[in-house]
Amino acid sequence: MSIQVRVGKKDEWRRFFDTCENAFGEEPNDDMVERFKRILSPSDLLAAFDGDAMVGTAAAFRFTLSIPGGELPAAGVTLVGVLPSHRRQGVLTRLMRHQLEQARARRQPLAVLWASEGSIYGRFGYGPATKQAAIDVERDRAVFIDQSPNPGRSRLLSTAEAVKVLPDVYERVRIRTPGMFARSQEWWEAHTLADPEEGRRGDGPMWRVVWENEGRAEAYALYRLHHEWPEGMPAGSLHVAEAIATSPAATRALWSFLFGVDLVARVRSWVVPIDHPLFLMLTEPRRLRMVVKDALWLRVVDVPAALGARGYAGEGTLVLALRDELCPWNSGTWRLETSASGARVERTTDAPQLAMSAADLGAVYLGGVGFGELVEAGRVHELEEGAALRASALFAAERTPWCSEIF
């Protein structure tokens, strides 16, 4: 089978989405296509062809991603699919290789994605770089230790108001949280605040609440209600799609509002940080029923650019032996030196202290996974005693990495 991969064309939008959605057993609609046209360009689309037939798709948003100590351009991989008739025949590998070469040409040192199945993307050099927690708490058991009145006020916003008010709150949290990406106005309108019927999954419409204190927005939440009335009693749930707060006071005030919404029995969310302050704010943290899962997967596309731009927790030297079959320009032994003036990364003939794969480097890059954890998992090999401990200390991030939105 001769498979060709090329960049999409302006007149192939619908064909691209038909192929991608059909790969998941779904069908696109015109609204979906138009929303994606606002946040992607044809040059961001890749399509695989078997003769004249489009059989696979992949796309990449052009993100600015927060990393420890700064931010970097990153390819936000999305809309990946191969028709059932062409799976396990190398189509996805060709798409992934082409996409990584494209990211390198665009000077994007990183690529990130949410994995439909981790077993797919680990073999392409992506590692689980952030974790997320799901919570499911009975509303009447969500009692705060601090029972003092919340200052400020909460108010509901229209979509038009939300586009003006919420970005500032998000950005203040984004710049200090590794794993979060900058959002354009088009992204807010076409993605974050979009409320298509197929995105509700049986819930009601999206509601938008902001908490303000002394005239400034400090927290917000996007949520939906799912109503159930067995025997005439309210037993539904409130589903939090996103909750962002700039301070502990803002966190308590925002979640006090969410736990105070009437006519629901439970409050649920499946994309909160694993170290969410609620765990220590509530009298019964066990009631949160926190379940941890993998979230954002990261791949290093350009080793010297990615490691050189990152901030580190101290000064030191590491020598890493890296295996990277899909991006051979990354393979080899690298010397990382960190100092108060920055980081220096170069190839070396020094004896390596740690041996790892591209997926392992992606997992540790944001500081959410330690080298020692990967050594214990049998993934990273420690070639010099104590190297994993030193590496984990250098790569430690001030804030636990997290990504608040699936893309």
Side-chain angles (χ1 to χ4, degrees), residues 61-65 72-77 108 112 181-182 187 407:
F61 298 114
R62 304 189 191 205
F63 283 158
T64 297
L65 187 77
L72 273 179
V77 178
Q108 295 170 319
V112 290
F181 55 88
W187 184 276
F407 51 84

Side-chain angles (χ1 to χ4, degrees), residues 235-258:
S237 53
L238 182 151
H239 297 170
V240 182
E242 181 169 277
I244 303 290
T246 60
S247 69
T251 297
R252 185 167 70 92
L254 180 66
W255 284 90
S256 292
F257 171 90
L258 295 170

Side-chain angles (χ1 to χ4, degrees), residues 5 69 77 97 117 127 161 171 231 236 252 262 271 284 301 368:
V5 175
V77 178
R97 179 176 288 113
E117 290 183 288
E161 289 176 307
E171 185 64 12
E231 300 179 343
R252 185 167 70 92
D262 293 328
V271 61
E284 296 184 277
V301 178

Side-chain angles (χ1 to χ4, degrees), residues 110-310:
L110 305 172
V112 290
L113 56 80
W114 288 77
S116 55
E117 290 183 288
S119 60
I120 297 175
Y121 293 99
R123 59 193 173 98
F124 299 126
Y126 290 86
T130 76
K131 303 182 182 84
Q132 65 177 4
I135 60 173
D136 181 356
V137 57
E138 303 102 323
R139 187 173 70 89
D140 60 356
R141 299 308 294 260
V143 180
F144 286 90
I145 295 172
D146 183 353
Q147 289 290 301
S148 60
N150 290 304
R153 65 165 185 163
S154 299
R155 63 187 181 97
L156 297 176
L157 302 176
S158 67
T159 302
E161 289 176 307
V163 171
K164 297 177 182 178
V165 174
L166 305 190
D168 174 68
V169 179
Y170 175 85
E171 185 64 12
R172 288 157 61 194
V173 174
R174 195 277 299 181
I175 59 174
R176 56 190 175 95
T177 307
M180 294 180 72
F181 55 88
R183 292 172 177 169
S184 65
Q185 180 174 331
E186 289 77 16
W187 184 276
W188 278 98
E189 293 174 347
H191 199 279
T192 306
L193 296 173
D195 192 22
E197 186 65 37
E198 67 271 13
R200 296 181 180 180
R201 302 179 183 274
D203 295 345
M206 177 187 291
W207 294 94
R208 302 148 298 272
V209 62
V210 64
W211 179 74
E212 298 167 323
N213 191 31
E214 297 182 352
R216 187 179 190 186
E218 298 289 353
Y220 72 83
L222 312 176
Y223 67 92
R224 295 183 174 89
L225 299 177
H226 182 85
H227 288 294
E228 295 180 33
W229 292 84
E231 300 179 343
M233 302 293 289
S237 53
L238 182 151
H239 297 170
V240 182
E242 181 169 277
I244 303 290
T246 60
S247 69
T251 297
R252 185 167 70 92
L254 180 66
W255 284 90
S256 292
F257 171 90
L258 295 170
F259 292 143
V261 174
D262 293 328
L263 303 181
V264 296
R266 312 189 73 86
V267 174
R268 295 170 172 154
S269 180
W270 64 284
V271 61
V272 301
I274 59 170
D275 59 345
H276 200 290
L278 277 177
F279 189 83
L280 297 176
M281 285 182 162
L282 299 183
T283 58
E284 296 184 277
R286 190 184 310 167
R287 294 282 181 175
L288 288 169
R289 294 177 174 82
M290 297 186 81
V291 177
V292 177
K293 300 179 181 180
D294 60 283
L296 192 71
W297 289 59
L298 184 145
R299 204 229 198 268
V300 173
V301 178
D302 185 321
V303 168
L307 294 184
R310 192 189 187 282

Side-chain angles (χ1 to χ4, degrees), residues 14 25 43 52 94 118 120 163 220 225 239 241 286-287 313 317 345 366 381 392 406:
R14 185 59 190 234
S43 62
D52 293 330
R94 297 190 189 192
I120 297 175
V163 171
Y220 72 83
L225 299 177
H239 297 170
R286 190 184 310 167
R287 294 282 181 175
T317 301
V345 186
L366 294 178
H381 299 286
S392 292
I406 296 176

